[in-house]
Amino acid sequence: MGRGKIEIRRIENKATRQVTFAKRRGGLFKKTNELAVLCDAQIGLIMFSSSGRLFQYNSEATSMEDIINRYLTATGTQIPQQTTDDQEQVQAELQRMRRETYNLQLSLQHYTAYDLSSVRLEDLNNLEQQVENSLDKVRTRKYELLQQQIDNLQRKEKMVQDDNEGIFNMIREHQNVVGSFPKPDHHGWNMLDQCPFFGEEQSGSVLRLAAEFPAMNLREYQLQPPQEPSLQDFHLHHPSTSSTVIAQIRGR
């Protein structure tokens, strides 16, 4: 199987992009060298990586300067030459940048109080004022951050209080539901507490009980007269004793 076609676009991953650049650069230099050797051509190749590093290749029979000069001659392009005035301007700009760099380094040393032996009184006063202004800005920013932290803690405290209040309400409702059931006494459930006629008003309690329990069959709870046991039942339970008792009755 042949290799798949790769879409030509910028590689986003930096490490992968560097690896691909190194591989393709080596292949390009190899092909350029083969072309110069096979065809006796004078080739100059210049490239810069994404980090700004220079890579170049030129044929062995010539140099990069010769190739560039031949290019300028062939295209009629001339590189502008720097005059004496231009060089003086460059030197002056370089000196100015050096002085600014030195002054900045000296100011940094003053701010850090590294060396104050050469500082005049006026400069010390100015330095003190600048330090005070800087401290005011630092304190202001510090108080802003502290206030933000306090606000966050207060919000968290409010959330915790709300959660605790909700849990407390749930526990109280649960206790109310459990407390609504009758409590057991020593002999079981205290049914007198649940009867509607238990209390001061007892005159109409029986009527209220009959109204609340209309389906109750009161005949089942009427007292029955006691019945004397028969001799047959006595004989079944006590056969030996019953024979003696029957013989005595007959003897009479």
Side-chain angles (χ1 to χ4, degrees):
M1 295 179 62
R3 297 173 60 183
K5 187 177 181 181
I6 300 176
E7 182 181 359
I8 303 301
R9 60 184 180 87
R10 183 178 181 272
I11 301 175
E12 298 298 334
N13 190 292
K14 184 177 180 180
T16 305
R17 185 168 62 246
Q18 291 178 353
V19 172
T20 304
F21 175 77
K23 292 181 178 180
R24 299 251 176 161
R25 182 194 65 211
L28 182 59
F29 283 166
K30 181 179 179 181
K31 294 296 183 181
T32 304
N33 183 42
E34 292 177 357
L35 180 60
V37 172
L38 293 174
C39 301
D40 193 18
Q42 295 181 1
I43 303 175
L45 179 61
I46 299 175
M47 68 175 65
F48 291 92
S49 65
S50 58
S51 60
R53 186 177 178 183
L54 171 65
F55 298 93
Q56 65 180 7
Y57 170 83
N58 59 276
S59 304
E60 296 180 358
T62 183
S63 63
M64 185 62 69
E65 289 78 8
D66 295 338
I67 294 175
I68 292 174
N69 291 330
R70 290 182 62 181
Y71 170 77
L72 295 175
T73 302
T75 57
T77 305
Q78 296 294 330
I79 298 178
Q81 299 293 329
Q82 291 184 352
T83 62
T84 305
D85 296 337
D86 295 336
Q87 293 179 357
E88 291 177 356
Q89 290 179 1
V90 171
Q91 292 296 328
E93 184 68 18
L94 182 60
Q95 291 296 330
R96 185 186 66 80
M97 294 178 65
R98 287 177 179 175
R99 286 194 301 270
E100 289 183 357
T101 303
Y102 174 76
N103 293 331
L104 290 174
Q105 292 177 352
L106 188 61
S107 300
L108 182 61
Q109 292 179 0
H110 292 168
Y111 280 118
T112 57
Y114 179 75
D115 185 11
L116 300 177
S117 59
S118 60
V119 182
R120 297 178 301 176
L121 180 60
E122 296 178 357
D123 296 336
L124 287 175
N125 291 332
N126 294 331
L127 180 61
E128 182 180 7
Q129 186 64 32
Q130 293 177 2
V131 171
E132 290 292 339
N133 295 334
S134 300
L135 285 175
D136 292 339
K137 294 180 180 179
V138 170
R139 291 192 184 99
T140 303
R141 180 57 180 168
K142 178 182 177 181
Y143 292 150
E144 290 178 357
L145 295 177
L146 289 176
Q147 186 63 37
Q148 291 178 2
Q149 293 180 359
I150 291 173
D151 295 340
N152 293 333
L153 291 176
Q154 289 178 351
R155 285 195 295 269
K156 291 181 180 179
E157 182 182 5
K158 184 63 170 56
M159 294 173 61
V160 172
Q161 289 179 355
D162 295 341
D163 294 341
N164 290 338
E165 185 176 358
I167 294 173
F168 176 76
N169 293 332
M170 292 175 60
I171 294 175
R172 186 170 58 184
E173 293 176 359
H174 180 70
Q175 290 178 349
N176 294 336
V177 172
V178 174
S180 63
F181 292 100
K183 298 180 180 180
D185 54 5
H186 298 289
H187 302 288
W189 294 99
N190 191 354
M191 298 302 297
L192 295 178
D193 295 340
Q194 306 300 321
C195 293
F197 55 86
F198 181 80
E200 297 180 355
E201 299 180 0
Q202 299 181 358
S203 59
S205 60
V206 178
L207 297 178
R208 286 198 301 270
L209 179 62
E212 292 185 2
F213 301 96
M216 180 181 293
N217 190 0
L218 298 179
R219 295 180 178 178
E220 297 178 1
Y221 300 95
Q222 294 179 357
L223 296 177
Q224 301 293 334
Q227 297 179 0
E228 295 182 358
S230 61
L231 293 177
Q232 184 177 0
D233 295 336
F234 185 78
H235 177 70
L236 291 175
H237 291 84
H238 305 280
S240 59
T241 307
S242 61
S243 301
T244 306
V245 173
I246 292 172
Q248 292 177 2
I249 293 173
R250 291 177 179 178
R252 289 180 184 178

